[in-house]
Amino acid sequence: MAFESLTDKLQSVFKNLRNKGRLTEEDVKAALKEVKMALLEADVNFKVVKQFVKTVEERAIGQDVMNGLNPGQMVVKIVNEELTALMGSETTEIAFQPGKAITVIMMCGLQGAGKTTTTAKIAGKLKLKGKKSLLVACDVYRPAAIKQLQINGEKQDVEVFAIPDSKEPVRIAKEAVAYAEKNGYNIVILDTAGRLHIDEDMMQELQNIKENVTVHQTLLVVDAMTGQDAVNIAKEFNEKIGLDGVVLTKMDGDSRGGAALSVKAVTGKPILYIGMGEKLSDLEQFYPDRMAGRILGMGDVLSLIEKVQADVDVDKEKQMAAKLKKGKFDFEDYLESMNQMKKMGGLASILGMMPGMGSKMGDIESMVDEKQLKRMEAIVLSMTPAERQNPKLLNPGRKHRIARGAGVDISVVNRFIKQFEQSQKMMKQLPGMMGGIGKKGRGGFPGRLNFPF
Amino acid sequence: MSEEKLGFFERLKNGLTKTRNNIVSSIDSVFNGFKTIDDDFYEELEEILVMGDIGIKAAEQIIMELKKEVKQRHIKEPVDCRDILIDSIKEQMKVNQDAYAFENVTSVVLVVGVNGVGKTTTIGKLASIYKSQGKKVLIAAADTFRAAASEQLEEWAKRAEVDIITGKEGSDPASVIFDAVNAAKARKIDILLCDTAGRLHNKKNLMEELKKIGRIIEREFPEAHKESLVVLDGATGQNALMQAREFKNATDITGIVLTKMDGTAKGGIAVAIQSELQVPVKYIGVGEKINDLQKFDPNDFVDALFDRSHEKE
């Protein structure tokens, strides 16, 4: 299921019409049905999906299929471009007041979206940019909310302003800004209580804060796992409070994050940051194109294709593919493929770009032990050129020498060679596994990854 | 009881009426608006299901079964489809009689879920419910990770007037559970409620930590009934299914608590979870106050899902 990517599905839709030069209405409709499913599975709001699919359909029908792409990839390309455009084509930053003037940022959102954590994370980020932030505890309702902000502020070494006994967020905000002016702060971040978008009294409270304090940036914090309701939440907050930007949290989970698209479509406001973990440093810049890929369930296929094209020596790749087919993959080739992989940023980074894998990065990192790979490399480097080209030469005496040379136990060498032989056999059964990216019907990614180690 | 139920239903309804008109067309307008059962009609139904977060796959399956039924019974009127559809979902969401049996025996209730779904609040509310039933309740504050989590829970314990066992921030949560279980045995506690730190279900070592907690409860308190509740945010989309699946793997979930149902979200994903994992929704959270947690009522839930609350007036 994890590998059931949109690209795969589209390939099967287009299996029968590979060589057409132009996208017909029929093709496009068939493809967009799959796109629609993918978006709905990613929790993009139904109405947003409908609108989006219509836009793409209009653009795609009658388009020439670009050289080197099949119709399925052509549709993916158009979908991806439209989606990226919709997400905001560029990375956006918080707009600060000029010079030394104070920028007041108000955080708002539902309960449990991650406002308090995000507040501290933003302060930490701005600190690196040389800004001096004051965090303001305006959540006077949830038990221990003030304490949570204080602890987080302490960890970031940022001061927290609170009036412990006050139940008036407006007064707290006002006094905080006055305090900031007096003490030379240039950023004030108001952490407000979580509230439902339909709770009129609570929404009024935010309006009151905005009436009494000049708020320059109002940020909505949205849980990336939010479903269809994301549009209602975003719409109500935008209409009643007025938003300037969005922070998407819990992106380190495995949700596809369709809420991002819904929120963007409804508010038109940029997504500024994404929360990638519980540590206070885990706040990242938002990249619209990456998000588009994630929502579509395509991983970062496009950048992977780019990387492969940019980094892999095509001739060498062809040679290797030919060798693979014959099962004549030796240790020299192993070294070569390791080097190419390193050029592309290491195994973990490649796996992370594959469909369905990106969200499981946490697991991959623990799975792929780069140290282990280094050890394997050391073993190969301890072989003589003759041994590398002809693994059959490896008798126990040679293996002992290699083990000493690589600084590993003999059992490690034995295991490695055995695995290598096994994968040699396997390679014979898997022709086209390596040379097929972008050419073969399935995009070249095998359902299960088997590398020769 | 009936008054209490009305209050709960009012709340659900209130949440819905405010934005009802601009969110979904009610299912009845679909049933009444179509003269014949055709593809457009089915498509409209599917849209309502998807908008309620049931998920496209589950929605398609429900519609497929409806089609089969319509064919078999030679149903011609769209209106007649309504009862079939609604009754089948209600039937599916029914909670077994013995679902709440754990409330009446010595039980350890482990509450798990991803970050920010309302675990701590749910514990506070459960403590208050059981306390008001005359039970001896103890809370274990095993969220030793999030800043000020145990302070938050201490406040709830104070409100519910029950005892609480806490650990230092950053300490091993399993040790808090160990202490709490032994305290529960010594003090002859009826229900031990264990709060855990929020964790994303795809973080392997955090899920292992949960398994360890489960093992400790099993080893230290084998005679107690074990109840594992996963708390899901009612506004969560398709990811809730993955959450339920992973938590089920780690702690053998026996029930779901659906929170934040006083908003406009419909919590339809619970239907998909029930059909895939056969885990019933046991409680539903409809607000921040201490008595805003209720036992799950499939009738109310399905009516709200289809925006049919006005029919009860």
Side-chain angles (χ1 to χ4, degrees):
Chain A
M1 173 155 163
F3 289 94
E4 197 187 341
S5 75
L6 178 66
T7 335
D8 287 350
K9 280 193 215 153
L10 286 178
Q11 301 296 1
S12 67
V13 171
F14 284 102
K15 218 168 26 202
N16 301 324
L17 22 106
R18 184 132 345 128
N19 294 319
K20 280 191 187 169
R22 187 165 290 203
L23 294 173
T24 66
E25 189 172 343
E26 225 171 289
D27 297 349
V28 171
K29 282 208 164 132
L32 287 182
K33 216 181 139 202
E34 296 297 333
V35 172
K36 187 176 152 189
M37 290 286 280
L39 293 175
L40 286 175
E41 270 169 33
D43 287 321
V44 181
N45 182 270
F46 200 98
K47 289 185 175 147
V48 176
V49 171
K50 263 186 167 170
Q51 184 58 43
F52 176 75
V53 166
K54 223 175 111 193
T55 317
V56 175
E57 195 180 295
E58 278 163 15
R59 202 190 128 186
I61 292 175
Q63 278 251 358
D64 290 332
V65 175
M66 272 168 65
N67 241 353
L69 295 182
N70 64 33
Q73 288 168 332
M74 189 67 207
V75 174
V76 169
K77 188 173 173 286
I78 297 172
V79 167
N80 198 57
E81 279 167 14
E82 286 291 322
L83 204 53
T84 310
L86 193 60
M87 300 288 273
S89 300
E90 287 164 27
T91 303
T92 323
E93 280 275 359
I94 292 182
F96 297 108
Q97 293 305 106
K100 287 198 167 161
I102 296 179
T103 307
V104 179
I105 301 169
M106 181 167 83
M107 312 294 291
C108 59
L110 300 196
Q111 291 92 341
K115 287 172 299 303
T116 305
T117 308
T118 306
T119 300
K121 283 180 180 176
I122 290 181
K125 208 157 184 92
L126 297 183
K127 199 177 160 196
L128 294 177
K129 291 187 181 164
K131 306 265 182 197
K132 197 176 166 200
S133 302
L134 180 67
L135 305 184
V136 186
C138 290
D139 182 354
V140 296
Y141 307 97
R142 184 165 61 101
I146 296 175
K147 185 86 197 267
Q148 188 187 351
L149 188 65
Q150 280 168 339
I151 294 173
N152 283 340
E154 214 170 280
K155 283 183 191 158
Q156 296 281 36
D157 201 14
V158 175
E159 200 184 338
V160 174
F161 183 93
I163 309 178
D165 299 320
S166 172
K167 290 281 171 211
E168 303 162 77
V170 175
R171 186 189 134 207
I172 299 171
K174 260 170 120 172
E175 288 187 20
V177 173
Y179 178 85
E181 275 165 1
K182 219 181 289 161
N183 292 280
Y185 289 90
N186 38 28
I187 306 277
V188 171
I189 310 180
L190 308 175
D191 177 33
T192 67
R195 66 202 69 219
L196 278 171
H197 49 295
I198 50 165
D199 188 330
E200 273 158 21
D201 296 341
M202 289 296 282
M203 292 302 270
Q204 186 62 46
E205 181 191 289
L206 291 180
Q207 288 166 12
N208 291 346
I209 293 179
K210 273 193 128 172
E211 274 162 25
N212 285 283
V213 177
T214 314
V215 176
H216 303 96
Q217 291 275 304
T218 306
L219 305 185
L220 178 68
V221 182
V222 184
D223 184 332
M225 299 182 273
T226 312
Q228 296 286 317
D229 207 35
V231 288
N232 302 322
I233 296 163
K235 191 164 161 251
E236 294 291 315
F237 270 99
N238 195 33
E239 279 171 8
K240 288 185 183 149
I241 320 293
L243 300 175
D244 299 291
V246 176
V247 180
L248 213 56
T249 59
K250 305 179 203 173
M251 282 286 287
D252 49 333
D254 55 3
S255 70
R256 298 255 296 274
L261 188 60
S262 303
V263 170
K264 176 74 205 198
V266 170
T267 64
K269 296 294 168 357
I271 296 169
L272 300 169
Y273 294 115
I274 54 173
M276 287 298 289
E278 293 190 73
K279 282 196 277 343
L280 290 173
S281 54
D282 295 333
L283 189 74
E284 294 179 6
Q285 213 61 257
F286 174 77
Y287 295 98
D289 46 344
R290 287 187 198 166
M291 193 67 216
R294 177 165 175 162
I295 291 176
L296 283 173
M298 301 199 309
D300 207 349
V301 176
L302 301 174
S303 12
L304 178 61
I305 291 175
E306 273 168 28
K307 269 201 168 186
V308 170
Q309 281 166 350
D311 295 336
V312 173
D313 186 325
V314 179
D315 284 339
K316 269 192 190 164
E317 198 207 345
K318 269 189 191 153
Q319 268 176 23
M320 201 183 292
K323 274 189 169 178
L324 275 178
K325 264 185 205 161
K326 289 181 202 148
K328 276 190 185 153
F329 185 79
D330 60 30
F331 284 114
E332 294 275 11
D333 302 316
Y334 176 83
L335 269 190
E336 183 57 41
S337 62
M338 293 282 288
N339 284 336
Q340 296 217 336
M341 203 132 66
K342 264 193 227 153
K343 267 201 239 163
M344 286 192 269
L347 185 56
S349 108
I350 296 171
L351 287 178
M353 283 188 277
M354 290 202 177
M357 296 289 278
S359 49
K360 294 203 170 64
M361 271 312 279
D363 274 0
I364 290 169
E365 268 160 26
S366 57
M367 211 167 73
V368 181
D369 188 351
E370 303 264 350
K371 254 192 213 152
Q372 185 99 4
L373 294 183
K374 268 218 176 104
R375 211 171 290 149
M376 300 302 156
E377 197 183 344
I379 293 176
V380 177
L381 288 174
S382 303
M383 297 176 183
T384 65
E387 285 166 348
R388 288 181 211 171
Q389 279 158 22
N390 187 5
K392 288 199 181 100
L393 284 178
L394 294 167
N395 59 26
R398 286 175 187 256
K399 283 182 192 166
H400 270 290
R401 192 203 74 238
I402 292 165
R404 273 199 308 277
V408 297
D409 195 75
I410 180 74
S411 63
V412 179
V413 175
N414 279 329
R415 208 180 316 131
F416 172 64
I417 292 171
K418 204 166 172 197
Q419 278 171 0
F420 185 82
E421 280 165 359
Q422 276 170 355
S423 51
Q424 243 183 348
K425 273 183 214 152
M426 191 191 69
M427 290 278 184
K428 262 192 226 172
Q429 293 155 1
L430 273 179
M433 172 180 150
M434 296 283 284
I437 294 171
K439 290 178 229 153
K440 283 275 167 184
R442 289 196 66 244
F445 302 120
R448 189 172 250 284
L449 292 162
N450 284 307
F451 288 92
F453 36 78
Chain B
M1 184 61 199
S2 71
E3 202 188 307
E4 190 189 325
K5 254 196 84 176
L6 190 79
F8 158 69
F9 193 74
E10 282 293 301
R11 215 171 253 283
L12 253 185
K13 201 183 80 178
N14 285 346
L16 295 167
T17 39
K18 280 179 195 161
T19 34
R20 180 192 291 162
N21 296 333
N22 49 16
I23 293 174
V24 286
S25 49
S26 108
I27 198 157
D28 289 312
S29 73
V30 176
F31 286 115
N32 297 327
F34 281 86
K35 290 210 172 62
T36 50
I37 300 174
D38 54 16
D39 282 351
D40 285 347
F41 168 72
Y42 284 125
E43 209 165 288
E44 193 95 359
L45 280 187
E46 194 177 293
E47 179 171 338
I48 289 179
L49 294 171
V50 171
M51 291 285 273
D53 278 326
I54 280 189
I56 182 75
K57 276 188 189 142
E60 283 191 337
Q61 204 177 345
I62 289 170
I63 297 291
M64 225 166 63
E65 270 157 35
L66 180 67
K67 279 183 182 168
K68 219 162 65 189
E69 199 79 355
V70 164
K71 211 172 166 192
Q72 258 173 17
R73 294 208 231 157
H74 304 290
I75 291 165
K76 294 266 171 349
E77 292 296 315
V79 177
D80 295 333
C81 286
R82 182 181 74 183
D83 296 337
I84 298 178
L85 184 63
I86 288 172
D87 288 349
S88 79
I89 299 181
K90 277 183 184 168
E91 182 58 34
Q92 192 203 323
M93 297 304 288
K94 222 160 74 181
V95 188
N96 272 342
Q97 286 279 310
D98 57 1
Y100 302 99
F102 71 91
E103 293 182 352
N104 301 314
V105 294
T106 304
S107 291
V108 180
V109 181
L110 186 64
V111 178
V112 300
V114 301
N115 316 64
V117 288
K119 284 177 297 302
T120 306
T121 308
T122 298
I123 295 252
K125 291 171 179 175
L126 283 175
S128 155
I129 291 176
Y130 300 147
K131 170 86 181 177
S132 70
Q133 291 170 356
K135 302 202 169 68
K136 244 182 126 177
V137 181
L138 179 68
I139 294 176
D143 180 355
T144 53
F145 183 82
R146 184 168 59 100
S150 53
E151 280 90 344
Q152 185 185 352
L153 198 54
E154 270 168 12
E155 178 61 36
W156 280 110
K158 208 162 41 177
R159 287 184 202 173
E161 296 172 353
V162 302
D163 288 345
I164 181 168
I165 305 276
T166 59
K168 266 209 192 84
E169 195 184 317
S171 64
D172 183 1
S175 73
V176 180
I177 297 290
F178 181 88
D179 290 347
V181 166
N182 285 308
K185 284 198 286 194
R187 298 181 204 176
K188 301 222 170 1
I189 292 291
D190 296 314
I191 296 187
L192 171 63
L193 295 168
C194 306
D195 190 20
T196 60
R199 66 200 71 220
L200 287 173
H201 51 290
N202 59 342
K203 301 271 163 95
K204 218 169 154 197
N205 33 8
L206 292 180
M207 295 308 272
E208 286 300 323
E209 181 185 280
L210 217 49
K211 285 185 194 163
K212 181 178 171 190
I213 289 175
R215 284 197 298 273
I216 284 177
I217 296 172
E218 190 61 50
R219 191 183 69 209
E220 296 298 314
F221 210 169
E223 63 272 28
H225 175 96
K226 273 110 210 149
E227 185 75 16
S228 254
L229 301 176
V230 63
V231 183
L232 301 174
D233 184 329
T236 307
Q238 301 313 298
N239 198 246
L241 183 57
M242 292 194 231
Q243 292 172 23
R245 208 184 281 139
E246 291 304 319
F247 280 108
K248 191 165 189 253
N249 283 342
T251 64
D252 207 9
I253 298 299
T254 52
I256 293 168
V257 182
L258 210 53
T259 60
K260 308 185 199 173
M261 288 297 286
D262 45 339
T264 48
K266 306 270 203 262
I269 190 64
V271 177
I273 294 173
Q274 164 78 39
S275 91
E276 191 189 310
L277 303 172
Q278 282 84 46
V279 179
V281 179
K282 291 195 177 174
Y283 295 96
I284 183 162
V286 289
E288 288 183 309
K289 280 184 232 51
I290 200 153
N291 47 13
D292 288 338
L293 188 78
Q294 310 278 339
K295 280 184 182 167
F296 178 73
D297 180 332
N299 292 324
D300 287 353
F301 174 76
V302 175
D303 284 343
L305 184 66
F306 290 127
D307 213 3
R308 297 177 70 235
S309 40
H310 53 287
E311 290 222 336
K312 290 231 169 164
E313 280 165 19

